[in-house]
Amino acid sequence: MIPRYWWRWSAEHGAPRAILRWRLRRGDPFAALLSGTRGLHDPYPLIDELRGSGGVHRTSLSWVTFDHAQVRAILRDNRFGVRPAITQDIPAPWRKLADRAGVPPNPVEPPSMLVIDPPEHTRMRKPVASAFTPRAIARLRDRVEVVTAELLDAMPAHGSVDLITDYAARVPIAIIAEMLGFPDADRELFLRWGDRVTPLLDIGTSWRTYRAALAAIESMDDYLDAHITKLREEPGEDILSALVASGELDLPELQASASLLMGAGFETTVNLIGNAIAALSAHPDQLALAQDDPDLWPAVVEETMRFDAPVQTTARQTLEDVEIDGVRISADSTIILSLAGANRDPAVFADPHRFDITRHNAKDHVGFSSGIHACLGASLARMEAVHALRALYTRYPNLRLRGAPTRRNLFTLHGFEHMPVDLGPVARTDAPDDLAGATRRG
């Protein structure tokens, strides 16, 4: 079945990939941002170069903006939809073949909430949103504390671990799996599937990677089909059981919602935790502030979301002719919104390249998007990250990176694949306050 999707890959990824590679060889900074080593590892100098004096820019693939005000306004503007039109310029027969090829239900294709507009988006989001109310998140706090304690208990004192695979990934996957009613034994399946599917969010994914993603999607859909069938007969106390019982969504919509919740409930948080550890390791003065004042851990999370956004970019399509700050953009045009650029906009954030957990307006970031497509799980991600970081540094106040951590080979989702650390000694919980403070400061 997978080879028939070659036409869709050619239109959605193959053609943009060829353009990007050609532009990269010619020194195009936008191509370097989306597909070059510099863009993957340290995108911010490229973003500054592309930002220039601000405003909307036309690139070889689409329009783009790095301005905080413009990004925020477009995310809230109903003249923009979520289906990007990067393939609009390919020949009509090619586009027709791509559309006929179809694609299995997955988090980056309709009917996923991520890529549909109202009224369909409103209908699908409403029954899911009840699982992410402040009251619902508060009920999960005790479970997050148990999961983090279990993971920390399993770590070897004075030993070495990979904080991504052994900790940052384990906290959110445990919570979202429980919320969706998946058995504990199946968490590894979703970790593997997630690693293979997330490259579909990037522009110019290779055919080999695309095939692996579709194979993972087909396996995941088979799993979800069987799981949903089971929940119809034996519902639990989880989100998916409630969605199945409501009858508001059909099977493809249930599958798309479950896979999106699993991916979104995991990917943002694992990158957020990892990016925070990296930033704190590079800025020991900021780590010392948080260790001396535990009330600052929420500020660590907000500043990390601003300073090194787990989701770097999103895209919108103009549903009609629009004008943005004097620039006319025709209907059916794609505009890439750099969340990372908006979060380091010097017009909004003073000294934007400085990691500062006392920054008064850090929460003005757009790391969780905005408007009707704002991240449903933002409160959950914040709560998980705050507790995971505070618990980690309380237990191991002297942990140190073992060399440079390894970045993921992704542009849209910005985080680390591996982060080896030496944990150091376990903190003494019975130490006097003055000794404990000295231990925290290393």
Side-chain angles (χ1 to χ4, degrees):
M1 293 290 289
I2 291 175
R4 76 184 180 92
Y5 298 128
W6 185 86
W7 286 105
R8 177 170 284 274
W9 168 82
S10 297
E12 293 184 346
H13 292 279
R17 179 181 176 85
I19 294 170
L20 284 171
R21 293 174 71 134
W22 177 70
R23 299 293 301 180
L24 185 60
R25 288 195 296 269
R26 295 173 64 87
D28 183 344
F30 187 66
L33 178 66
L34 294 184
S35 61
T37 301
R38 292 168 63 199
L40 292 174
H41 293 170
D42 185 15
Y44 300 104
L46 286 167
I47 287 173
D48 280 347
E49 180 180 350
L50 288 160
R51 184 196 308 278
S53 59
V56 179
H57 305 279
R58 180 64 187 167
T59 74
S60 53
L61 279 181
S62 68
W63 294 89
V64 63
T65 180
F66 303 90
D67 285 9
H68 185 277
Q70 289 182 345
V71 167
R72 190 176 181 87
I74 291 169
L75 289 172
R76 294 169 173 263
D77 193 330
N78 60 14
R79 296 175 300 167
F80 295 84
V82 291
R83 291 297 296 154
I86 286 176
T87 59
Q88 286 293 319
D89 295 333
I90 69 171
W94 198 349
R95 188 166 62 247
K96 186 176 180 180
L97 283 170
D99 291 339
R100 286 179 60 187
V103 73
N106 71 80
V108 295
E109 291 284 345
S112 168
M113 286 183 286
L114 191 67
V115 287
I116 57 174
D117 294 316
E120 292 82 4
H121 174 267
T122 307
R123 178 180 63 84
M124 289 190 63
R125 183 177 172 111
K126 185 177 179 180
V128 177
S130 61
F132 296 94
T133 62
R135 180 177 296 180
I137 300 304
R139 287 197 298 266
L140 289 169
R141 186 169 287 108
D142 288 345
R143 185 60 190 144
V144 171
E145 292 178 0
V146 170
V147 168
T148 52
E150 290 174 346
L151 292 169
L152 291 170
D153 288 344
M155 292 182 182
H158 289 284
S160 299
V161 298
D162 186 329
L163 280 183
I164 301 300
T165 59
D166 296 333
Y167 189 66
R170 302 289 170 179
V171 175
I173 200 69
I175 301 304
I176 198 64
E178 289 184 14
M179 291 177 70
L180 293 172
F182 297 127
D184 292 351
D186 293 341
R187 294 175 190 171
E188 295 295 331
L189 284 174
F190 281 93
L191 286 171
R192 290 200 298 271
W193 288 335
D195 284 342
R196 293 185 179 182
V197 173
T198 48
L200 295 182
L201 292 168
D202 281 356
I203 299 172
T205 296
S206 72
W207 169 238
R208 180 178 180 180
T209 301
Y210 189 82
R211 281 189 308 171
L214 293 191
I217 287 168
E218 290 184 345
S219 296
M220 185 165 57
D221 287 341
D222 288 343
Y223 175 96
L224 290 173
D225 193 1
H227 185 65
I228 290 168
T229 299
K230 180 181 178 182
L231 293 182
R232 293 188 195 280
E233 300 169 355
E234 303 174 20
E237 300 294 325
D238 54 86
I239 304 173
L240 196 51
S241 290
L243 289 175
V244 170
S246 73
E248 297 182 57
L249 306 179
D250 61 25
L251 180 60
E253 290 171 341
L254 286 168
Q255 290 175 322
S257 294
S259 57
L260 174 61
L261 287 170
M262 178 59 73
F266 164 72
E267 289 293 345
T268 298
T269 310
V270 64
N271 291 341
L272 171 54
I273 295 171
N275 291 357
I277 295 169
L280 291 169
S281 298
H283 301 85
D285 60 320
Q286 300 299 299
L287 174 58
L289 289 176
Q291 289 178 311
D292 286 338
D293 182 1
D295 289 340
L296 283 174
W297 285 110
V300 171
V301 169
E302 299 303 333
E303 178 65 351
T304 301
M305 288 295 301
R306 185 205 69 81
F307 180 77
D308 202 18
V311 180
Q312 292 272 296
T313 187
T314 188
R316 293 293 185 266
Q317 178 186 354
T318 52
L319 303 179
E320 58 187 71
D321 292 349
V322 299
E323 183 173 312
I324 304 175
D325 292 346
V327 178
R328 283 191 63 81
I329 303 177
S330 61
D332 293 328
S333 298
T334 296
I335 180 164
I336 293 177
L337 309 177
S338 175
L339 305 180
N343 289 340
R344 293 205 185 189
D345 187 342
V348 177
F349 302 104
D351 196 2
H353 299 306
R354 178 168 55 91
F355 182 73
D356 178 8
I357 67 172
T358 66
R359 186 182 298 274
H360 72 93
N361 66 339
K363 208 169 184 178
D364 290 340
H365 67 77
V366 290
F368 288 115
S369 191
S370 189
I372 63 170
H373 287 280
C375 178
L376 263 176
S379 295
L380 177 60
R382 285 181 165 111
M383 184 266 285
E384 290 175 333
V386 166
H387 187 76
L389 291 166
R390 183 171 55 211
L392 174 67
Y393 281 102
T394 298
R395 181 79 65 94
Y396 294 105
N398 297 301
L399 72 85
R400 296 289 184 270
L401 295 180
R402 297 182 62 199
T406 305
R407 281 280 182 192
R408 302 176 74 181
N409 193 34
L410 299 171
F411 167 70
T412 302
L413 297 177
H414 187 67
F416 294 94
E417 185 173 8
H418 296 291
M419 185 176 287
V421 300
D422 291 321
L423 293 171
V426 176
R428 286 181 54 193
T429 57
D430 59 343
D433 288 344
D434 56 344
L435 178 58
T439 302
R440 283 196 301 270
R441 289 186 291 272

